Amino acid sequence: MNAYYSQEAHGPFELVSIGEIALEEGGAIPDCRLAVATHGSLNAARDNAILVTTWYSGTSKIMEQVYIGAGRALDPSKYFIICVNQIGNGLSTSPHNSEGALAGPGFPKVRIGDDVRAQHKLLTETFKLDRLALVVGGSMGAQQTYEWAVRYPDFVKRAAPIAGTAKNTEHDSLFTETLVEAIETDPGFRGGRYETPADVAAGLKRHAKLWTVMGWSTDFFRAGKHRAMGFDSLPAFVDNFMTGYFAPMDPNDLLAMAWKWQRGDVSRNTNGDLAAALGRVKAKTFVMPISTDMFFRVDDCEVEQKLIPGSELRPLASIDGHLGLFGTDPQMLAQLDANLRELLATAVG
Amino acid sequence: MNAYYSQEAHGPFELVSIGEIALEEGGAIPDCRLAVATHGSLNAARDNAILVTTWYSGTSKIMEQVYIGAGRALDPSKYFIICVNQIGNGLSTSPHNSEGALAGPGFPKVRIGDDVRAQHKLLTETFKLDRLALVVGGSMGAQQTYEWAVRYPDFVKRAAPIAGTAKNTEHDSLFTETLVEAIETDPGFRGGRYETPADVAAGLKRHAKLWTVMGWSTDFFRAGKHRAMGFDSLPAFVDNFMTGYFAPMDPNDLLAMAWKWQRGDVSRNTNGDLAAALGRVKAKTFVMPISTDMFFRVDDCEVEQKLIPGSELRPLASIDGHLGLFGTDPQMLAQLDANLRELLATAVG
């Protein structure tokens, strides 16, 4: 086991078994456990539930810390907020916490659609919900948000995909491939049969460097925000903050998420027709790219937004790039909250 | 020897020995040979010479093919155009064509300032010049252009740095580090003691992927320009075009250039004071970043441009990103030529 993925580090969360999930790529996860953290209470009308999804390497904990709280748009005094950790993220069923044939490099390929069907099963069977006031998530969480809105258009009343796409771009898939290769080329990775993440430390560090190059922005570094965060140089920021962030994570878990991320594509629901897929969406949708995001660029997100009926493009102005998702820019969070408040106040059918 | 760096592939060029060059990092290149290609003739006033510099992985050949010709701004019927290949690029003195202690991984560290002093020696001693009508180059060629204008302000009458910076950013240095590591982590690299570039094919391919991610732009791929270039998918573009481009190159040569690129900084001439360095420039300077360049961004270039007396920011609008330098966007080349014509028509002291 890996102490990083513990209740102490990421809790409180509850592990909920939803039984067997058949996978789009074939095979199944026989006993799929989703790590779930909830905040607030379901109202009598059962119409105040919000689903919060997670991104690559993230868990429900950072969503709680950065996005949820009294006075925030995602306010537990008003809403029943359900954070579901994606399959493979280390808290839910993942390579490192599976046994037998599913363990480590034997873990099956999981798609965004599998996650969303698993989450739907959780919400309908465990929580007895038939609607969501909002689905919101960033990056891979946005992929799940789009998938929800396309797959269950009557269930999702509002959608807020942040810094992510409905259909991953070729460019982004290649970026993710460089992340994968940074890990897999480490001799210590041994085809996924390493003993601890420390065996893959060099690969995880190269992976952290690629994230540093693409994850923030040149404006972020020119403004010296890494220095303002307490690191006296970019190498110190890489060594301590970025490498420190990824170092304890399980490489096979990261790779399971990366495989899923690369292939996110709602048009799988409509035989490859993206316009048809996004045309299905009934949720009132605010598409929120981050202005300086280097891989989920505003222009790329706008192309998709225009295919969603009644949607609005609401770019978040920040120099922090994609990793502004970490909450490093309070002004960006204020913009996000204002958008979410407006979205939640919008009447829906 | 490596047939890629031949007269057949990159000529005609002449190898000119400029004797010993002492290096800023210590040591020397005892017999420094610069590969030089000229176009046109020096006029009687000896004031129509233009220096064209080269970028990472590039040689004088692509400068000839993409930037020089009858009817172009760099017109050999009007100007005496001297293309000088940078040290380490495979045509000039480089790791792969050096012998003894300087061969391969034993090649000394060379800085942009060393290149510019070597070029100055060539121009003053071999060509007997005392002025340049223009220095122009892209990327690392822009680094050399800035270094020329700062180091020899009376010699350089006009300067056109394209898609590059006077002082490399921390962000860009880290991007370059990921390129270096892609090569060095290939077991076939063997600390630089490989037998042929083919031994390092996997590392060179990873290096090509990183260039694909950062070198073009998401707009370029969204517009399908890789398809328009004849590749039916991004993997095909990576495998054939990008990997094919880098595969024959000498890894130690690339690393010599990368080391130099990472550390480009004209403020080394002024004890770290960038404003003082750029304040020295007397050349009429047009700073020309490419609008979608992901690592030499317009905003980063503008900060430097504002420190150069009388300079102008002339961004080139293109969706092709940094590698628009390859000449893939005719409209960008037209903008560039218009700027260069205007610059060359500007009266100077």
Side-chain angles (χ1 to χ4, degrees):
Chain A
M1 293 307 292
N2 178 328
Y4 177 77
Y5 302 106
S6 62
Q7 288 284 353
E8 291 68 32
H10 294 278
F13 59 85
E14 189 179 353
L15 274 178
V16 182
S17 172
I18 57 161
E20 177 169 306
I21 280 285
L23 300 170
E24 293 183 14
E25 289 294 303
I29 299 177
D31 175 30
C32 184
R33 288 155 296 146
L34 296 180
V36 181
T38 66
H39 308 273
S41 307
L42 190 62
N43 63 11
R46 309 185 78 80
D47 66 359
N48 71 331
I50 291 176
L51 174 65
V52 175
T53 52
T54 64
W55 58 64
Y56 179 80
S57 83
T59 74
S60 49
K61 195 64 186 175
I62 195 168
M63 302 314 293
E64 173 192 332
Q65 292 172 328
V66 176
Y67 295 92
I68 298 169
R72 299 294 302 277
L74 303 182
D75 188 334
S77 73
K78 297 180 184 169
Y79 300 103
F80 180 49
I81 303 165
I82 309 164
C83 302
V84 183
N85 290 274
Q86 67 169 300
I87 297 167
N89 88 328
L91 301 191
S92 293
T93 295
S94 299
H96 97 274
N97 63 24
S98 292
E99 293 179 355
L102 271 62
F107 199 73
K109 301 303 185 197
V110 178
R111 284 188 174 270
I112 295 285
D114 297 317
D115 266 290
V116 168
R117 283 185 300 108
Q119 291 165 8
H120 184 263
K121 195 172 182 194
L122 173 82
L123 297 191
T124 54
E125 297 181 4
T126 302
F127 292 103
K128 312 294 185 193
L129 296 176
D130 63 4
R131 59 163 50 199
L132 282 164
L134 172 69
V135 182
V136 58
S139 201
M140 285 188 72
Q143 291 183 311
Q144 294 162 64
T145 300
Y146 278 119
E147 184 75 24
W148 259 100
V150 168
R151 196 178 276 259
Y152 304 112
D154 293 310
F155 204 101
V156 181
K157 300 305 176 187
R158 300 174 191 83
I162 309 164
T165 47
K167 176 177 179 169
N168 204 19
T169 65
E170 289 181 290
H171 178 268
D172 187 65
S173 181
L174 182 64
F175 165 55
T176 312
E177 187 170 317
T178 69
L179 295 173
V180 167
E181 290 185 346
I183 292 173
E184 290 185 342
T185 56
D186 186 332
F189 178 67
R190 298 176 56 227
R193 295 178 303 281
Y194 52 87
E195 292 193 4
T196 77
D199 297 343
V200 195
L204 287 168
K205 181 168 181 172
R206 289 196 294 277
H207 167 274
K209 285 181 184 174
L210 293 170
W211 267 108
T212 309
V213 169
M214 288 288 287
W216 305 93
S217 76
T218 70
D219 313 79
F220 176 89
F221 294 111
R222 190 173 75 245
K225 288 200 72 167
H226 53 309
R227 292 190 173 80
M229 286 164 74
F231 304 96
D232 62 7
S233 69
L234 184 51
F237 180 73
V238 168
D239 290 349
N240 298 295
F241 185 77
M242 295 298 290
T243 302
Y245 172 71
F246 286 111
M249 296 185 192
D250 184 79
N252 286 322
D253 290 4
L254 290 173
L255 295 176
M257 287 184 278
W259 191 94
K260 193 197 297 183
W261 168 15
Q262 287 185 288
R263 292 161 181 80
D265 178 6
V266 296
S267 79
R268 287 169 52 81
N269 294 291
T270 48
N271 296 313
D273 185 336
L274 183 62
L278 293 174
R280 281 189 185 180
V281 174
K282 295 182 180 176
K284 175 66 182 177
T285 303
F286 280 7
V287 172
M288 290 187 265
I290 299 172
S291 60
T292 51
D293 195 316
M294 291 176 71
F295 46 100
F296 296 121
R297 290 193 56 230
V298 175
D299 289 349
D300 293 306
C301 294
E302 185 174 16
V303 171
E304 297 186 333
Q305 177 265 316
K306 288 183 170 167
L307 298 174
I308 303 172
S311 66
E312 297 180 33
L313 183 71
R314 298 286 184 107
L316 305 174
S318 175
I319 65 168
D320 286 12
H322 188 72
L323 295 180
L325 288 172
F326 281 2
T328 41
D329 182 349
Q331 293 183 320
M332 190 191 95
L333 293 182
Q335 296 170 58
L336 174 67
D337 270 17
N339 284 334
L340 289 179
R341 280 197 191 91
E342 183 182 337
L343 180 59
L344 284 163
T346 305
V348 292
Chain B
M1 292 308 292
N2 178 329
Y4 177 77
Y5 302 106
S6 62
Q7 289 284 352
E8 290 68 31
H10 294 279
F13 60 84
E14 189 179 353
L15 273 178
V16 182
S17 173
I18 56 162
E20 177 170 307
I21 279 286
L23 300 170
E24 293 183 12
E25 289 293 303
I29 298 176
D31 175 30
C32 183
R33 289 155 295 147
L34 295 180
V36 181
T38 65
H39 308 273
S41 306
L42 191 62
N43 63 10
R46 310 185 78 79
D47 65 0
N48 72 333
I50 291 176
L51 174 66
V52 175
T53 53
T54 64
W55 57 64
Y56 178 80
S57 83
T59 73
S60 50
K61 194 65 186 174
I62 194 167
M63 303 314 294
E64 173 192 332
Q65 292 173 327
V66 175
Y67 295 92
I68 298 169
R72 300 292 304 276
L74 303 183
D75 188 335
S77 72
K78 297 180 185 170
Y79 300 104
F80 180 49
I81 303 166
I82 309 163
C83 302
V84 183
N85 290 276
Q86 67 169 301
I87 296 167
N89 87 329
L91 301 191
S92 293
T93 294
S94 298
H96 96 275
N97 63 23
S98 291
E99 293 178 356
L102 270 62
F107 199 73
K109 300 303 186 198
V110 178
R111 283 187 175 271
I112 295 286
D114 297 317
D115 266 289
V116 169
R117 284 185 300 107
Q119 292 165 8
H120 184 263
K121 196 172 181 193
L122 173 82
L123 297 191
T124 53
E125 296 182 4
T126 302
F127 292 102
K128 313 293 184 194
L129 297 175
D130 64 3
R131 60 161 52 197
L132 282 164
L134 172 69
V135 183
V136 57
S139 200
M140 286 188 73
Q143 291 183 312
Q144 294 162 64
T145 300
Y146 278 120
E147 184 76 23
W148 259 101
V150 168
R151 196 178 278 259
Y152 304 112
D154 294 309
F155 203 100
V156 181
K157 300 305 177 188
R158 300 174 192 82
I162 308 164
T165 47
K167 177 177 178 170
N168 203 18
T169 65
E170 289 182 289
H171 178 268
D172 187 64
S173 181
L174 183 64
F175 165 54
T176 313
E177 188 170 315
T178 69
L179 295 174
V180 168
E181 290 184 347
I183 292 173
E184 290 184 342
T185 56
D186 186 333
F189 179 67
R190 297 176 55 228
R193 294 178 302 280
Y194 52 86
E195 292 193 7
T196 77
D199 298 343
V200 195
L204 287 168
K205 180 168 181 172
R206 290 196 293 277
H207 167 274
K209 286 181 184 175
L210 294 170
W211 267 109
T212 309
V213 169
M214 289 288 287
W216 305 93
S217 77
T218 70
D219 313 78
F220 176 89
F221 294 112
R222 191 173 73 246
K225 288 200 71 167
H226 53 309
R227 291 190 174 81
M229 287 164 73
F231 305 96
D232 62 7
S233 69
L234 185 51
F237 180 73
V238 167
D239 289 349
N240 298 294
F241 186 77
M242 295 299 290
T243 302
Y245 173 70
F246 286 111
M249 297 186 192
D250 185 80
N252 286 322
D253 289 4
L254 290 172
L255 295 175
M257 287 184 278
W259 192 93
K260 193 197 294 183
W261 168 14
Q262 287 185 288
R263 292 162 182 80
D265 179 5
V266 297
S267 79
R268 289 169 50 82
N269 293 291
T270 48
N271 296 312
D273 185 338
L274 183 63
L278 292 174
R280 280 189 185 181
V281 174
K282 295 182 180 176
K284 176 66 182 177
T285 302
F286 280 7
V287 172
M288 290 187 267
I290 299 172
S291 60
T292 51
D293 195 316
M294 290 175 72
F295 44 101
F296 295 121
R297 290 193 55 229
V298 175
D299 289 350
D300 293 307
C301 294
E302 184 174 18
V303 171
E304 297 185 335
Q305 177 265 318
K306 288 184 170 166
L307 298 174
I308 302 171
S311 66
E312 297 180 33
L313 184 70
R314 297 286 183 108
L316 305 175
S318 174
I319 65 168
D320 285 13
H322 188 72
L323 295 180
L325 288 172
F326 281 2
T328 42
D329 183 349
Q331 293 184 319
M332 190 190 96
L333 292 181
Q335 296 169 57
L336 174 67
D337 270 16
N339 284 334
L340 288 179
R341 280 197 191 91
E342 182 181 338
L343 180 59
L344 284 162
T346 305
V348 293

